[in-house]
Coordinates of all heavy atoms in Angstrom, one line a residue:
R1 N 0.8 -1.2 0.0 CA 0.0 0.0 0.0 C 0.9 1.2 0.0 O 1.8 1.4 0.8 CB -0.9 0.0 1.2 CG -1.9 -1.2 1.1 CD -2.8 -1.3 2.4 NE -2.9 -0.1 3.1 CZ -3.6 -0.1 4.3 NH1 -4.2 -1.2 4.7 NH2 -3.7 1.0 4.9
K2 N 0.6 2.1 -0.9 CA 1.4 3.3 -1.1 C 1.5 4.2 0.1 O 2.6 4.8 0.4 CB 0.9 4.1 -2.3 CG 1.8 5.0 -3.0 CD 2.8 4.1 -3.7 CE 3.5 5.0 -4.8 NZ 4.8 4.5 -5.1
E3 N 0.4 4.3 0.9 CA 0.4 5.2 2.0 C 1.4 4.7 3.2 O 1.7 5.5 4.0 CB -1.0 5.5 2.6 CG -1.7 4.2 3.1 CD -2.4 3.4 2.1 OE1 -2.4 3.8 0.9 OE2 -3.2 2.5 2.5
N4 N 1.8 3.4 3.1 CA 2.7 2.9 4.1 C 4.1 2.9 3.7 O 4.9 2.3 4.3 CB 2.3 1.5 4.5 CG 1.0 1.4 5.3 OD1 0.7 2.4 6.0 ND2 0.3 0.4 5.2
M5 N 4.4 3.6 2.6 CA 5.7 3.6 2.0 C 6.2 5.0 2.0 O 5.5 6.0 1.9 CB 5.8 3.0 0.6 CG 5.2 1.6 0.5 SD 6.1 0.4 1.4 CE 7.3 0.0 0.1
Q6 N 7.6 5.2 2.1 CA 8.2 6.5 1.9 C 9.3 6.4 1.0 O 9.9 5.3 0.8 CB 8.6 7.1 3.3 CG 9.7 6.4 3.9 CD 10.0 6.9 5.3 OE1 9.3 7.7 5.8 NE2 11.2 6.6 5.8
N7 N 9.6 7.4 0.3 CA 10.7 7.4 -0.7 C 11.8 8.4 -0.3 O 11.7 9.5 -0.6 CB 10.1 7.7 -2.1 CG 11.2 7.5 -3.2 OD1 12.3 7.3 -2.9 ND2 10.7 7.5 -4.4
D8 N 12.8 7.8 0.5 CA 13.9 8.7 1.0 C 15.1 8.4 0.1 O 16.1 9.1 0.3 CB 14.2 8.4 2.4 CG 13.2 8.8 3.3 OD1 12.4 9.8 3.0 OD2 13.1 8.2 4.4
D9 N 15.1 7.5 -0.7 CA 16.2 7.1 -1.6 C 16.2 7.8 -2.9 O 15.2 7.7 -3.6 CB 16.2 5.5 -1.7 CG 17.4 5.0 -2.5 OD1 18.3 5.8 -2.8 OD2 17.4 3.8 -2.7
P10 N 17.2 8.6 -3.2 CA 17.3 9.3 -4.5 C 17.2 8.3 -5.7 O 16.8 8.7 -6.8 CB 18.6 10.1 -4.5 CG 19.3 9.6 -3.3 CD 18.4 8.8 -2.4
A11 N 17.6 7.1 -5.5 CA 17.5 6.1 -6.6 C 16.0 5.7 -6.9 O 15.8 5.0 -7.9 CB 18.3 4.9 -6.3
G12 N 15.1 6.0 -6.0 CA 13.7 5.7 -6.2 C 13.2 4.5 -5.5 O 12.0 4.2 -5.7
S13 N 14.0 3.7 -4.8 CA 13.5 2.5 -4.1 C 12.7 3.0 -2.9 O 13.0 4.0 -2.3 CB 14.6 1.6 -3.7 OG 15.4 2.2 -2.7
E14 N 11.6 2.2 -2.6 CA 10.8 2.6 -1.5 C 11.1 1.7 -0.3 O 11.3 0.5 -0.4 CB 9.3 2.4 -1.9 CG 8.9 3.4 -3.0 CD 7.5 3.2 -3.4 OE1 6.9 2.2 -3.2 OE2 6.9 4.2 -3.9
L15 N 11.1 2.3 0.9 CA 11.3 1.6 2.1 C 10.1 1.7 3.0 O 9.4 2.8 3.0 CB 12.5 2.3 2.9 CG 13.8 2.3 2.2 CD1 14.8 3.1 3.0 CD2 14.3 0.9 2.1
P16 N 9.7 0.7 3.7 CA 8.6 0.8 4.6 C 8.9 1.8 5.7 O 10.0 2.0 6.2 CB 8.5 -0.6 5.3 CG 9.4 -1.5 4.5 CD 10.4 -0.6 3.8
I17 N 7.8 2.5 6.1 CA 7.9 3.5 7.1 C 8.3 2.7 8.4 O 7.8 1.7 8.7 CB 6.6 4.3 7.3 CG1 6.4 5.2 6.2 CG2 6.6 5.1 8.6 CD1 5.1 6.0 6.2
G18 N 9.2 3.3 9.2 CA 9.6 2.6 10.4 C 10.8 1.7 10.2 O 11.3 1.2 11.2
L19 N 11.4 1.6 9.0 CA 12.6 0.8 8.8 C 13.7 1.6 9.5 O 14.1 2.6 9.0 CB 12.8 0.6 7.4 CG 14.1 -0.2 7.0 CD1 14.0 -1.7 7.6 CD2 14.3 -0.3 5.5
A20 N 14.2 1.1 10.6 CA 15.2 1.8 11.3 C 16.6 1.6 10.8 O 17.0 0.5 10.5 CB 15.2 1.3 12.8
L21 N 17.3 2.7 10.5 CA 18.7 2.7 10.1 C 19.6 3.0 11.3 O 20.8 2.7 11.3 CB 18.9 3.7 9.0 CG 18.1 3.5 7.7 CD1 18.4 4.6 6.7 CD2 18.4 2.1 7.1
Y22 N 19.0 3.6 12.4 CA 19.7 3.9 13.5 C 18.9 3.5 14.8 O 17.7 3.4 14.8 CB 19.9 5.5 13.6 CG 20.7 6.0 12.5 CD1 20.1 6.4 11.3 CD2 22.1 6.1 12.6 CE1 20.8 6.9 10.3 CE2 22.8 6.6 11.6 CZ 22.2 7.0 10.4 OH 23.0 7.5 9.4
L23 N 19.6 3.2 15.9 CA 19.0 3.0 17.2 C 19.3 4.2 18.1 O 20.4 4.6 18.1 CB 19.6 1.7 17.8 CG 19.3 0.4 17.2 CD1 20.0 -0.8 17.9 CD2 17.8 0.1 17.2
R24 N 18.2 4.6 18.8 CA 18.4 5.6 19.8 C 19.1 5.0 21.0 O 19.1 3.7 21.2 CB 17.1 6.2 20.2 CG 16.4 7.0 19.1 CD 15.1 7.7 19.6 NE 14.3 6.7 20.3 CZ 13.1 6.3 19.8 NH1 12.7 6.7 18.7 NH2 12.4 5.4 20.5
E25 N 19.7 5.8 21.8 CA 20.4 5.3 23.0 C 19.5 4.4 23.9 O 20.0 3.3 24.3 CB 20.9 6.5 23.8 CG 21.9 6.1 24.9 CD 22.5 7.4 25.4 OE1 21.8 8.3 25.9 OE2 23.8 7.5 25.3
S26 N 18.3 4.8 24.0 CA 17.4 4.0 24.9 C 17.1 2.7 24.2 O 17.0 1.7 24.9 CB 16.1 4.8 25.1 OG 15.4 5.1 23.8
E27 N 17.0 2.6 22.9 CA 16.8 1.3 22.2 C 17.9 0.4 22.3 O 17.8 -0.8 22.5 CB 16.4 1.6 20.7 CG 15.1 2.4 20.5 CD 14.9 2.9 19.1 OE1 15.9 3.3 18.4 OE2 13.7 2.9 18.7
L28 N 19.1 0.9 22.2 CA 20.3 0.1 22.3 C 20.5 -0.4 23.7 O 20.8 -1.6 23.9 CB 21.6 0.8 21.8 CG 22.8 0.0 21.8 CD1 22.7 -1.3 20.9 CD2 24.0 0.8 21.3
A29 N 20.2 0.4 24.7 CA 20.3 0.0 26.1 C 19.3 -1.1 26.3 O 19.7 -2.1 27.0 CB 20.1 1.2 27.0
L30 N 18.1 -1.0 25.8 CA 17.1 -2.0 26.0 C 17.6 -3.3 25.3 O 17.5 -4.4 25.8 CB 15.8 -1.6 25.4 CG 14.6 -2.5 25.6 CD1 14.3 -2.7 27.1 CD2 13.4 -2.0 24.9
R31 N 18.1 -3.2 24.1 CA 18.6 -4.4 23.3 C 19.6 -5.1 24.1 O 19.7 -6.3 24.0 CB 19.1 -3.9 22.0 CG 19.7 -4.9 21.1 CD 20.2 -4.3 19.8 NE 20.7 -5.2 18.9 CZ 20.0 -5.8 17.8 NH1 18.8 -5.4 17.6 NH2 20.6 -6.6 17.0
W32 N 20.6 -4.4 24.7 CA 21.7 -5.0 25.4 C 21.4 -5.2 26.9 O 22.2 -5.6 27.6 CB 22.9 -4.1 25.3 CG 23.5 -4.2 23.9 CD1 23.2 -5.0 22.9 CD2 24.6 -3.4 23.3 NE1 23.9 -4.8 21.8 CE2 24.9 -3.9 22.0 CE3 25.4 -2.4 23.9 CZ2 25.9 -3.3 21.3 CZ3 26.4 -1.9 23.1 CH2 26.6 -2.3 21.8
R33 N 20.1 -4.9 27.3 CA 19.7 -5.2 28.7 C 20.6 -4.5 29.7 O 21.1 -5.1 30.6 CB 19.6 -6.7 29.0 CG 18.5 -7.3 28.1 CD 18.4 -8.8 28.5 NE 17.3 -9.4 27.7 CZ 17.5 -10.1 26.6 NH1 18.7 -10.2 26.0 NH2 16.5 -10.6 25.9
M34 N 20.8 -3.2 29.5 CA 21.6 -2.4 30.4 C 21.0 -1.1 30.6 O 20.1 -0.7 29.8 CB 23.0 -2.3 29.9 CG 23.2 -1.4 28.6 SD 24.9 -1.1 28.1 CE 25.7 -2.6 28.1
S35 N 21.4 -0.4 31.6 CA 20.8 1.0 31.8 C 21.4 1.9 30.8 O 22.5 1.7 30.2 CB 21.1 1.5 33.2 OG 22.5 1.8 33.3
E36 N 20.6 3.0 30.5 CA 21.2 4.0 29.6 C 22.4 4.7 30.1 O 23.3 5.0 29.4 CB 20.1 5.1 29.3 CG 19.0 4.6 28.5 CD 18.0 5.7 28.2 OE1 18.4 6.8 27.8 OE2 16.8 5.5 28.4
R37 N 22.5 4.8 31.4 CA 23.7 5.4 32.1 C 24.9 4.5 31.8 O 26.0 5.0 31.6 CB 23.5 5.6 33.6 CG 24.6 6.3 34.3 CD 24.8 7.7 33.7 NE 26.1 8.2 34.2 CZ 27.0 8.8 33.4 NH1 26.9 8.8 32.1 NH2 28.1 9.2 34.0
T38 N 24.8 3.2 31.9 CA 25.9 2.3 31.7 C 26.3 2.4 30.2 O 27.5 2.5 29.9 CB 25.5 0.8 32.0 OG1 25.2 0.7 33.4 CG2 26.6 -0.2 31.6
L39 N 25.4 2.5 29.3 CA 25.7 2.7 27.9 C 26.4 4.0 27.7 O 27.4 4.0 26.9 CB 24.4 2.6 27.0 CG 24.6 2.7 25.5 CD1 25.5 1.6 25.0 CD2 23.3 2.6 24.8
Q40 N 26.0 5.0 28.4 CA 26.7 6.3 28.3 C 28.1 6.2 28.8 O 29.1 6.7 28.1 CB 26.0 7.4 29.1 CG 24.6 7.7 28.5 CD 23.7 8.5 29.4 OE1 24.1 8.8 30.6 NE2 22.5 8.8 29.0
R41 N 28.3 5.5 29.9 CA 29.7 5.3 30.4 C 30.6 4.5 29.4 O 31.7 4.8 29.2 CB 29.7 4.6 31.7 CG 29.3 5.6 32.9 CD 29.6 5.0 34.2 NE 28.9 3.8 34.5 CZ 27.7 3.7 35.1 NH1 27.1 4.9 35.5 NH2 27.1 2.6 35.3
W42 N 30.0 3.5 28.8 CA 30.7 2.7 27.8 C 31.1 3.6 26.6 O 32.1 3.4 26.1 CB 29.8 1.5 27.3 CG 29.8 0.3 28.3 CD1 30.0 0.3 29.6 CD2 29.5 -1.0 27.9 NE1 29.8 -0.9 30.1 CE2 29.5 -1.8 29.1 CE3 29.2 -1.6 26.7 CZ2 29.3 -3.2 29.1 CZ3 28.9 -3.0 26.7 CH2 29.0 -3.7 27.9
R43 N 30.2 4.4 26.2 CA 30.4 5.3 25.0 C 31.6 6.2 25.4 O 32.5 6.4 24.6 CB 29.2 6.1 24.7 CG 29.4 7.0 23.4 CD 28.1 7.7 23.0 NE 27.8 8.8 24.0 CZ 26.8 8.9 24.7 NH1 25.9 7.9 24.7 NH2 26.6 9.9 25.6
Q44 N 31.6 6.8 26.6 CA 32.7 7.7 27.0 C 34.0 6.9 27.1 O 35.1 7.5 26.8 CB 32.3 8.3 28.4 CG 31.2 9.3 28.3 CD 30.7 9.7 29.7 OE1 31.1 9.1 30.7 NE2 29.8 10.6 29.7
A45 N 34.0 5.6 27.4 CA 35.2 4.8 27.4 C 35.6 4.2 26.1 O 36.6 3.5 26.0 CB 35.0 3.7 28.4
G46 N 34.8 4.5 25.0 CA 35.1 4.0 23.7 C 34.8 2.5 23.5 O 35.4 1.8 22.7
K47 N 33.8 2.0 24.3 CA 33.5 0.6 24.3 C 32.2 0.2 23.4 O 31.7 -0.8 23.6 CB 33.3 0.0 25.7 CG 34.5 0.1 26.6 CD 34.1 -0.5 27.9 CE 35.3 -0.5 28.8 NZ 35.0 -1.1 30.2
V48 N 31.8 1.1 22.6 CA 30.6 0.9 21.8 C 30.8 1.2 20.3 O 31.9 1.7 20.0 CB 29.4 1.9 22.3 CG1 29.1 1.6 23.7 CG2 29.9 3.3 22.1
P49 N 29.9 0.7 19.5 CA 30.1 1.0 18.1 C 30.1 2.5 17.7 O 29.7 3.3 18.6 CB 28.9 0.3 17.4 CG 28.3 -0.5 18.5 CD 28.7 0.0 19.8
R50 N 30.4 2.8 16.5 CA 30.4 4.1 16.0 C 29.0 4.7 16.3 O 28.0 4.1 16.2 CB 30.7 4.1 14.5 CG 30.8 5.5 13.9 CD 31.3 5.3 12.4 NE 30.3 4.6 11.7 CZ 29.4 5.1 10.9 NH1 29.3 6.4 10.8 NH2 28.5 4.4 10.2
Y51 N 29.0 6.0 16.6 CA 27.7 6.7 16.9 C 27.8 8.1 16.3 O 28.8 8.6 16.0 CB 27.4 6.7 18.4 CG 28.4 7.5 19.2 CD1 28.2 8.9 19.5 CD2 29.5 6.9 19.7 CE1 29.1 9.6 20.2 CE2 30.5 7.7 20.4 CZ 30.2 9.0 20.6 OH 31.1 9.7 21.4
L52 N 26.6 8.7 16.3 CA 26.6 10.1 15.9 C 25.6 10.9 16.7 O 24.7 10.3 17.3 CB 26.3 10.3 14.4 CG 25.1 9.6 13.8 CD1 24.1 10.5 13.3 CD2 25.6 8.7 12.7
R53 N 25.9 12.2 16.8 CA 25.0 13.0 17.6 C 24.2 13.9 16.6 O 24.8 14.6 15.8 CB 25.8 13.9 18.5 CG 26.4 13.2 19.7 CD 27.1 14.2 20.6 NE 27.8 13.6 21.6 CZ 27.3 13.3 22.8 NH1 26.1 13.8 23.1 NH2 28.0 12.7 23.7
L54 N 22.9 13.9 16.8 CA 22.1 14.8 15.9 C 21.1 15.4 16.8 O 20.3 14.8 17.5 CB 21.4 14.0 14.8 CG 22.2 13.5 13.7 CD1 21.3 12.6 12.8 CD2 22.8 14.6 12.9
G55 N 21.1 16.7 16.9 CA 20.1 17.5 17.7 C 20.0 17.1 19.1 O 19.0 17.0 19.7
G56 N 21.2 16.8 19.7 CA 21.2 16.4 21.1 C 21.0 14.9 21.4 O 21.0 14.5 22.5
R57 N 20.7 14.2 20.3 CA 20.5 12.7 20.4 C 21.7 12.0 20.0 O 22.4 12.4 19.1 CB 19.3 12.3 19.5 CG 18.0 12.6 20.0 CD 17.0 11.8 19.2 NE 15.9 12.6 18.8 CZ 14.8 12.1 18.3 NH1 14.7 10.8 18.0 NH2 13.8 12.9 17.9
V58 N 21.9 10.8 20.7 CA 23.0 9.9 20.3 C 22.3 8.8 19.5 O 21.4 8.1 20.0 CB 23.7 9.4 21.5 CG1 24.8 8.3 21.1 CG2 24.4 10.5 22.3
L59 N 22.8 8.6 18.3 CA 22.2 7.5 17.4 C 23.3 6.5 17.0 O 24.4 6.9 16.7 CB 21.6 8.2 16.1 CG 20.5 9.1 16.4 CD1 20.1 9.8 15.1 CD2 19.3 8.5 17.0
Y60 N 23.0 5.3 17.0 CA 23.9 4.2 16.6 C 23.4 3.6 15.3 O 22.3 3.1 15.2 CB 23.9 3.1 17.7 CG 24.5 3.6 19.0 CD1 23.6 4.2 20.0 CD2 25.8 3.5 19.3 CE1 24.1 4.7 21.2 CE2 26.3 4.0 20.5 CZ 25.5 4.5 21.4 OH 26.0 5.0 22.6
P61 N 24.2 3.6 14.2 CA 23.9 3.0 13.0 C 23.7 1.5 13.2 O 24.5 0.8 13.8 CB 25.0 3.2 12.1 CG 25.7 4.4 12.6 CD 25.5 4.3 14.1
I62 N 22.5 0.9 12.8 CA 22.2 -0.5 13.1 C 23.2 -1.4 12.5 O 23.6 -2.4 13.1 CB 20.7 -0.8 12.7 CG1 20.3 -2.2 13.2 CG2 20.6 -0.7 11.2 CD1 20.2 -2.3 14.6
A63 N 23.8 -1.0 11.3 CA 24.8 -1.9 10.7 C 26.0 -2.0 11.6 O 26.6 -3.1 11.7 CB 25.2 -1.3 9.3
D64 N 26.4 -0.9 12.2 CA 27.6 -1.0 13.1 C 27.3 -1.8 14.4 O 28.1 -2.5 14.9 CB 28.0 0.5 13.5 CG 28.6 1.2 12.3 OD1 29.0 0.5 11.3 OD2 28.7 2.4 12.3
V65 N 26.1 -1.6 14.9 CA 25.7 -2.4 16.1 C 25.7 -3.9 15.8 O 26.2 -4.7 16.5 CB 24.2 -2.0 16.6 CG1 23.7 -2.9 17.6 CG2 24.2 -0.5 17.1
L66 N 25.2 -4.3 14.6 CA 25.2 -5.7 14.2 C 26.6 -6.2 14.1 O 26.9 -7.3 14.5 CB 24.3 -5.9 13.0 CG 22.8 -5.6 13.1 CD1 22.2 -5.7 11.7 CD2 22.2 -6.6 14.1
A67 N 27.5 -5.4 13.4 CA 28.9 -5.8 13.3 C 29.6 -6.0 14.6 O 30.3 -6.9 14.8 CB 29.6 -4.9 12.4
F68 N 29.3 -5.1 15.5 CA 29.9 -5.1 16.9 C 29.4 -6.3 17.6 O 30.2 -7.0 18.2 CB 29.4 -3.8 17.6 CG 29.9 -3.7 19.0 CD1 31.1 -3.1 19.3 CD2 29.2 -4.2 20.1 CE1 31.6 -2.9 20.6 CE2 29.7 -4.1 21.4 CZ 30.9 -3.5 21.6
E69 N 28.1 -6.6 17.5 CA 27.6 -7.8 18.2 C 28.2 -9.1 17.6 O 28.4 -10.1 18.3 CB 26.0 -7.8 18.1 CG 25.4 -6.7 18.9 CD 23.9 -6.6 18.7 OE1 23.4 -7.2 17.7 OE2 23.3 -5.9 19.5
A70 N 28.3 -9.1 16.2 CA 28.9 -10.3 15.6 C 30.3 -10.5 16.1 O 30.7 -11.7 16.3 CB 28.8 -10.1 14.1
G71 N 31.1 -9.5 16.2 CA 32.4 -9.6 16.7 C 32.5 -10.1 18.1 O 33.3 -10.9 18.5
A72 N 31.6 -9.6 18.9 CA 31.5 -10.1 20.3 C 31.1 -11.5 20.4 O 31.6 -12.3 21.2 CB 30.6 -9.2 21.1
A73 N 30.2 -11.9 19.6 CA 29.7 -13.3 19.6 C 30.7 -14.3 19.0 O 30.7 -15.4 19.4 CB 28.4 -13.4 18.7
A74 N 31.6 -13.8 18.2 CA 32.7 -14.6 17.7 C 33.9 -14.8 18.6 O 34.8 -15.4 18.3 CB 33.2 -14.1 16.3
G75 N 33.7 -14.3 19.8 CA 34.7 -14.4 20.8 C 35.7 -13.2 20.9 O 36.6 -13.2 21.7
G76 N 35.5 -12.3 20.0 CA 36.3 -11.1 20.0 C 35.7 -10.1 21.0 O 34.9 -10.4 21.8
R77 N 36.3 -8.9 20.9 CA 35.8 -7.9 21.8 C 34.8 -6.9 21.1 O 34.5 -5.8 21.6 CB 37.0 -7.0 22.3 CG 37.9 -7.8 23.2 CD 39.0 -7.0 23.8 NE 39.1 -5.6 23.4 CZ 40.3 -5.0 23.1 NH1 41.4 -5.7 23.3 NH2 40.3 -3.7 22.8
G78 N 34.3 -7.4 19.9 CA 33.5 -6.5 19.2 C 34.3 -5.3 18.7 O 35.3 -5.4 18.2
G79 N 33.7 -4.1 18.9 CA 34.4 -2.9 18.5 C 35.1 -2.3 19.7 O 35.4 -1.1 19.6
V80 N 35.3 -3.0 20.8 CA 35.9 -2.4 22.0 C 37.3 -2.0 21.7 O 38.1 -2.9 21.3 CB 35.7 -3.3 23.2 CG1 36.4 -2.7 24.4 CG2 34.3 -3.6 23.5
R81 N 37.7 -0.8 22.0 CA 39.0 -0.3 21.8 C 39.5 0.1 23.2 O 38.9 0.9 23.9 CB 39.1 0.9 20.9 CG 38.7 0.5 19.5 CD 38.6 1.7 18.6 NE 37.6 2.7 19.1 CZ 36.2 2.5 18.9 NH1 35.8 1.5 18.2 NH2 35.4 3.5 19.3
R82 N 40.7 -0.3 23.6 CA 41.3 0.1 24.9 C 42.6 0.8 24.7 O 43.3 0.6 23.8 CB 41.4 -1.0 25.8 CG 40.1 -1.6 26.2 CD 40.2 -2.7 27.2 NE 38.9 -3.2 27.3 CZ 38.6 -4.1 28.2 NH1 39.4 -4.5 29.1 NH2 37.3 -4.6 28.3

């Protein structure tokens, strides 16, 4: 149904509304079953995937979160840098 689609891609492909390309800090904290404050401390320590700040919000690209989780699941440290 056309009303449930949006066209943000200049190439013309349509994506369903609500298709998340980024996770908000609260969403990632929920996903990882930790408090937002713990996630904030991890971010300050460089223990989280790449993120960006937009309008006062911290957003995590879902592709980077998935890559980070895959690295952690494979026995690595994910994207943790010390």
Side-chain angles (χ1 to χ4, degrees):
R1 295 175 23 182
K2 203 73 158 152
E3 63 271 9
N4 288 334
M5 305 294 274
Q6 66 185 16
N7 191 348
D8 290 336
D9 184 3
S13 65
E14 293 182 337
L15 298 172
I17 291 175
L19 179 64
L21 300 177
Y22 297 92
L23 292 177
R24 292 186 309 254
E25 191 169 60
S26 60
E27 294 169 326
L28 185 56
L30 183 63
R31 178 182 180 96
W32 287 354
R33 295 181 179 94
M34 65 173 54
S35 72
E36 288 183 50
R37 184 64 190 127
T38 297
L39 183 57
Q40 291 165 0
R41 283 193 298 271
W42 281 25
R43 186 178 70 246
Q44 291 167 353
K47 296 181 178 182
V48 296
R50 185 173 62 98
Y51 65 92
L52 50 117
R53 290 182 184 267
L54 288 175
R57 284 196 224 189
V58 176
L59 301 172
Y60 295 88
I62 189 68
D64 291 341
V65 169
L66 294 173
F68 182 91
E69 291 172 347
R77 291 182 0 216
V80 175
R81 295 171 300 279
R82 293 185 190 190

